[in-house]
Amino acid sequence: GRGTVRGPNLFGVMGTQSGTLVKSWGGSPQRLESAFLVWTDKAMLDFLMAPKELIPPLNGDRSCMSFRGMDRELDRVDLVGFLKTLIPGAP
C-alpha cells in the first residue's frame, strides 16, 4: 500500500535499494536514492539510530525525515526483526 502522512509502508523494505519503495507509492525518492543503500540489517539499524547521519538532508527536501531515530537498541533490533518478517508473496 501507499505510505501516509505518518510514514511510508515498510512492507518488503528489507533487502531493497533505498528509495525504491518510495517510488512505488508516488513519494519523492531523491534523498533516499542519493544514499545508495541496500536495506540490510546493519543499514536499517544505523538508520533507526541516527537517520540524518546515514542519509544527510538535501536542500529543500522535507520528505521522510521528521523521524529522529530510536533511542533504545532493543527496540531497533526488535523492529528490524519484525520488518524481516514482512516479505511480499509470503503466505
Side-chain angles (χ1 to χ4, degrees), residues 27-57:
S28 300
Q30 294 82 4
R31 187 177 197 172
L32 291 168
E33 287 177 330
S34 70
F36 301 104
L37 290 172
V38 172
W39 292 117
T40 62
D41 290 14
K42 181 179 179 347
M44 187 61 75
L45 287 168
D46 290 348
F47 178 80
L48 292 172
M49 184 172 59
K52 290 182 181 175
E53 288 182 25
L54 191 64
I55 303 174

Side-chain angles (χ1 to χ4, degrees), residues 31-87:
R31 187 177 197 172
L32 291 168
E33 287 177 330
S34 70
F36 301 104
L37 290 172
V38 172
W39 292 117
T40 62
D41 290 14
K42 181 179 179 347
M44 187 61 75
L45 287 168
D46 290 348
F47 178 80
L48 292 172
M49 184 172 59
K52 290 182 181 175
E53 288 182 25
L54 191 64
I55 303 174
L58 294 176
N59 192 16
D61 179 23
R62 299 181 317 159
S63 66
C64 77
M65 294 309 287
S66 61
F67 176 63
R68 292 185 177 102
M70 298 171 71
D71 293 330
R72 293 187 46 196
E73 181 179 8
L74 183 57
D75 290 344
R76 295 189 303 267
V77 170
D78 285 347
L79 180 54
V80 169
F82 173 71
L83 290 173
K84 289 168 62 173
T85 70
L86 303 178
I87 302 168

Side-chain angles (χ1 to χ4, degrees), residues 3-24:
T4 69
V5 293
R6 295 186 187 264
N9 182 336
L10 298 176
F11 185 84
V13 72
M14 296 303 290
T16 66
Q17 180 74 33
S18 58
T20 305
L21 295 179
V22 176
K23 270 188 203 174
S24 72

